[in-house]
Amino acid sequence: VDIRHGSGVYVSRSDDVLLLASQDYMGAVDKKLLLDLVDARIPIEVRSAACAATNATEENFATMRSLLAKAAENFDDDEVLSATNMAFHQEITQASGNVVLSQLLDVLRNLFQKEQRVILNIYGSPQRDQDEHLAILDALERRDERLAVDRMQEHLEGVRDVVLRWDPESVPVG
């Protein structure tokens, strides 16, 4: 941010950050917003998985394995589990080598933390989520781009389907 006396406040470009997240979104958490969030993530993360299958380093894989181990230890802590799962997805975008994809997911992650926890609660199966994450990591470590893409697509479309079937009356946002 550049403040110019008598002129105004200007957002300037940083070498490290391509996108700036506005924290002004105060909309209601409803089914449409959750579906929109998952729909925005699908193309970003599917493309990231494709690129990560080629570009991920052993350090990326070690970080992903560590995050999944932490997730497995925190099935009973929604806040930690949600943050850890999103960090796993973020590490895949980092491993893709595409800074724009990585920063797009980072903006979504930062803006919609509460909504991501709601999606996790609606999904309702930490073990299934963990198993799908492990399958994605397996495909990435095999450097099998097609399999990584298929597994990421299947995982996120499965999340979308659960949200689509969600009845807010029987399982409130809460």
Side-chain angles (χ1 to χ4, degrees):
V1 176
D2 182 22
I3 302 171
R4 298 181 194 159
H5 184 69
S7 178
V9 178
Y10 301 87
V11 177
S12 59
R13 187 176 182 132
S14 165
D15 290 338
D16 296 329
V17 178
L18 299 174
L19 302 170
L20 298 173
S22 167
Q23 297 294 332
D24 294 337
Y25 177 78
M26 301 301 272
V29 177
D30 60 12
K31 185 183 277 193
K32 182 182 180 333
L33 175 64
L34 298 180
L35 289 169
D36 287 350
L37 178 55
V38 175
D39 284 342
R41 287 179 55 195
I42 290 172
I44 294 168
E45 295 197 54
V46 168
R47 183 66 191 146
S48 293
C51 294
T54 302
N55 297 326
T57 65
E58 287 306 315
E59 183 180 329
N60 294 128
F61 292 142
T63 299
M64 289 178 214
R65 283 190 297 273
S66 174
L67 288 165
L68 292 181
K70 181 178 179 181
E73 296 168 0
N74 287 283
F75 282 177
D76 295 331
D77 187 331
D78 288 349
E79 189 171 337
V80 171
L81 183 58
S82 180
T84 304
N85 283 345
M86 284 308 298
F88 170 74
H89 283 267
Q90 186 66 47
E91 186 64 25
I92 293 170
T93 64
Q94 289 279 7
S96 77
N98 185 317
V99 295
V100 174
L101 290 174
S102 183
Q103 289 199 16
L104 282 169
L105 187 62
D106 198 41
V107 167
L108 290 176
R109 182 178 68 162
N110 288 327
L111 282 178
F112 296 103
Q113 290 175 13
K114 177 176 72 172
E115 292 79 2
Q116 289 297 156
R117 281 195 303 276
V118 170
I119 289 171
L120 180 67
N121 289 334
I122 293 167
Y123 196 67
S125 178
Q127 187 61 59
R128 182 176 68 198
D129 200 35
Q130 177 78 354
D131 291 345
E132 291 175 7
H133 287 161
L134 287 166
I136 293 165
L137 177 56
D138 173 67
L140 293 172
E141 288 181 320
R142 290 184 196 193
R143 305 253 180 224
D144 188 330
E145 180 180 337
R146 184 74 255 148
L147 186 59
V149 164
D150 289 347
R151 288 180 175 174
M152 181 64 80
Q153 184 90 30
E154 183 179 311
H155 171 60
L156 291 173
E157 286 181 5
V159 171
R160 187 185 193 288
D161 289 344
V162 168
V163 173
L164 193 58
R165 291 189 313 266
W166 170 53
D167 177 11
E169 297 297 319
S170 62
V171 183
V173 170

